[in-house]
Amino acid sequence: QLQVVESGGGLVQAGGSLTLSCAASGSTSSINAMGWYRQAPGKQRELVAGITSDGRNTNYADSVKGRFTISRDNAKNTMYLQMNSLQPEDTAVYYCHARGVFSSWGQGTQVTVSS
C-alpha cells in the first residue's frame, strides 16, 4: 500500500509565499509520478503540477506557471510545492497524489490567500 500526507498549508496575504510538503510512506519504490491538485469551493479538482519519479520532467497548469515550483526529494520520499506570488484565486484545498502500482490521495491541506 501507499500513503501520502500533506502539510504546510495556511493563511497568507496576496503576494506571499507558502511551501507545501507531501510525505509518502509504504510502497514508495512503486511510485511512477506524483502531483499536486487543488479544489476550490464549487469547482472541480484540477491538476496544479506534476513530476515524474526521477524529478526530471514537470508540468504545470497555465495559471501557476512561473509562480509555483514542484520538486521531490526521493531520499526523503517527499514532494514539495513552492508557491510564490500567491493570489486570492489560489485559495483551495491542495491535495497530493502519488501513482504507480498503487494510487493514493492525501487528505488535503487548506491554502487561503487574503486580498
Side-chain angles (χ1 to χ4, degrees):
Q1 294 291 341
L2 178 65
Q3 297 82 37
V4 293
V5 178
E6 308 95 337
S7 61
L11 173 65
V12 64
Q13 289 187 333
S17 299
L18 280 176
T19 300
L20 304 182
S21 299
C22 171
S25 62
S27 301
T28 56
S29 61
S30 69
I31 297 174
N32 291 330
M34 298 182 74
W36 288 99
Y37 292 74
R38 68 186 180 187
Q39 187 167 18
K43 295 187 177 181
Q44 290 187 332
R45 189 173 298 188
E46 63 173 355
L47 175 67
V48 176
I51 189 167
T52 52
S53 58
D54 60 6
R56 293 182 179 179
N57 293 300
T58 60
N59 63 288
Y60 296 90
D62 287 343
S63 60
V64 306
K65 283 181 181 177
R67 300 188 299 123
F68 292 10
T69 302
I70 189 171
S71 62
R72 62 190 292 175
D73 183 339
N74 287 338
K76 296 181 179 180
N77 293 318
T78 301
M79 175 179 66
Y80 305 95
L81 185 68
Q82 174 67 44
M83 305 185 293
N84 298 326
S85 302
L86 283 161
Q87 299 301 316
E89 51 266 35
D90 295 316
T91 295
V93 178
Y94 284 71
Y95 296 91
C96 168
H97 180 247
R99 62 178 176 85
V101 174
F102 302 101
S103 176
S104 181
W105 288 93
Q107 80 286 357
T109 185
Q110 177 70 47
V111 172
T112 303
V113 185
S114 63
S115 57

